Amino acid sequence: MKSYIVKIEFEESDPLIWRRVIMPAGATYRRLHDVIQTVTNFRSGYPHDGYHLYEFDLTKDQKIVTDHEEAYLEHQHYKKNKAAYEERLKSVPPEMLGFEKNALERLKIEVRKPTGLKIDDYLEKYGEIRYAYDFGDGWQFTVKLEEIVDDYYFGYPTLLDGAETSPPEDVGGMHGFYEFLKAYRDEKHPEHKEMKVWGKSVYFREYDPDWINQILKGLNYKKTEWDKINHENYMIIEDKYRKS
């Protein structure tokens, strides 16, 4: 089936935290969010409930895709009351006019919900999607299209490659993560035991591709074409993309 090989890069990480994933075409932005969450250490993707807000910035199409209900409702209100918003600008004090104009321009950007829009058109047209998660810690990702293939037959994504362990929830941004990691990995660090306990409480784990691929099986949104896969009783014998 038609599928995308994408590289997910964790911005501002050094060394770069990245994951290469193959996923069937036709995924919604919600499903792409689930994939990113699963290949990292975050906890807002399926099967978990939303933990922090997230947003896909489709700048080149003047769109935002987000689970932030307030932002969605604000845009809906603007669409229904455009004339009133424009009229209101006429009574704004001069010293506030610049601020209000900028606010109005932001409201004009189309806001969509992540379950109602698929990634295919934007990803194929522009080759890149920006993703933000947890507006407090401020995590930023770039999803880059590397290749479109038609010889992947599984109905769920697969992690192909990657590097570096990713941050856990609520660690305090990239600087906080590297401070945490220093203590977590160094048995002689004065906060080592505390960080080990805290890491366990937020389900932190070092990068583990096999574990990730087991979880990715749950993100099923297409029918697996077993007749095109070399398997015995659904146990994979040999495949270009998956070992199990």
Side-chain angles (χ1 to χ4, degrees):
M1 68 184 79
K2 180 180 179 180
S3 300
Y4 302 124
I5 297 177
V6 298
K7 187 178 182 184
I8 301 166
E9 297 182 349
F10 217 130
E11 296 180 12
E12 298 184 5
S13 59
D14 184 18
L16 182 67
I17 302 167
W18 62 274
R19 308 285 185 260
R20 180 169 289 113
V21 174
I22 184 168
M23 53 191 298
T28 62
Y29 282 91
R30 169 56 201 258
R31 187 55 87 199
L32 178 57
H33 158 77
D34 291 336
V35 170
I36 297 170
Q37 293 281 311
T38 301
V39 301
T40 61
N41 269 313
F42 294 139
R43 305 283 293 173
S44 279
Y46 178 88
H48 310 289
D49 292 329
Y51 189 71
H52 289 297
L53 298 173
Y54 64 91
E55 175 181 295
F56 291 96
D57 182 4
L58 311 185
T59 304
K60 294 177 181 177
D61 274 357
Q62 288 293 296
K63 289 180 184 175
I64 290 173
V65 179
T66 182
D67 67 335
H68 189 189
E69 185 71 13
E70 184 177 332
Y72 175 77
L73 293 175
E74 283 180 350
H75 178 67
Q76 295 301 310
H77 187 269
Y78 164 75
K79 287 201 304 183
K80 295 175 181 177
N81 301 276
K82 290 181 182 180
Y85 276 90
E86 296 290 346
E87 185 65 27
R88 181 175 174 273
L89 276 182
K90 297 177 181 179
S91 60
V92 171
E95 65 273 15
M96 294 294 295
L97 190 57
F99 174 82
E100 291 294 336
K101 282 184 176 180
N102 288 336
L104 184 56
E105 288 302 310
R106 286 195 296 272
L107 284 174
K108 291 179 180 179
I109 297 174
E110 183 180 358
V111 179
R112 297 285 299 271
K113 293 186 176 182
T115 53
L117 189 65
K118 294 182 178 180
I119 70 172
D120 301 40
D121 289 346
Y122 194 90
L123 186 62
E124 291 189 31
K125 186 175 181 180
Y126 301 111
E128 184 175 295
I129 297 173
R130 303 266 335 277
Y131 167 81
Y133 173 67
D134 182 357
F135 304 153
D137 277 0
W139 304 116
Q140 301 283 337
F141 294 81
T142 303
V143 181
K144 298 179 179 179
L145 176 62
E146 292 191 329
E147 190 177 354
I148 300 174
V149 300
D150 60 5
D151 59 350
Y152 180 73
Y153 306 114
F154 298 91
Y156 44 83
T158 294
L159 175 69
L160 302 176
D161 200 2
E164 306 299 328
T165 294
S166 61
E169 295 282 9
D170 302 326
V171 76
M174 196 61 74
H175 174 74
F177 170 54
Y178 286 127
E179 289 297 311
F180 158 77
L181 211 57
K182 187 187 302 181
Y184 185 89
R185 290 174 172 172
D186 182 2
E187 294 183 0
K188 296 181 180 179
H189 194 285
E191 297 180 0
H192 174 71
K193 290 184 179 179
E194 180 184 343
M195 289 301 102
K196 292 288 284 188
V197 171
W198 183 80
K200 185 176 181 179
S201 74
V202 294
Y203 304 95
F204 172 76
R205 65 168 61 226
E206 299 280 5
Y207 177 47
D208 185 344
D210 292 336
W211 182 84
I212 289 172
N213 271 330
Q214 284 298 113
I215 304 301
L216 283 174
K217 287 181 179 180
L219 305 186
N220 193 41
Y221 58 94
K222 287 289 183 72
K223 184 178 180 180
T224 296
E225 299 175 356
W226 285 106
D227 59 315
K228 297 178 181 177
I229 298 169
N230 185 3
H231 72 96
E232 185 174 340
N233 293 325
Y234 303 105
M235 296 292 292
I236 299 169
I237 299 172
E238 183 181 8
D239 187 80
K240 181 178 179 180
Y241 298 106
R242 282 198 73 95
K243 296 178 182 178
S244 61

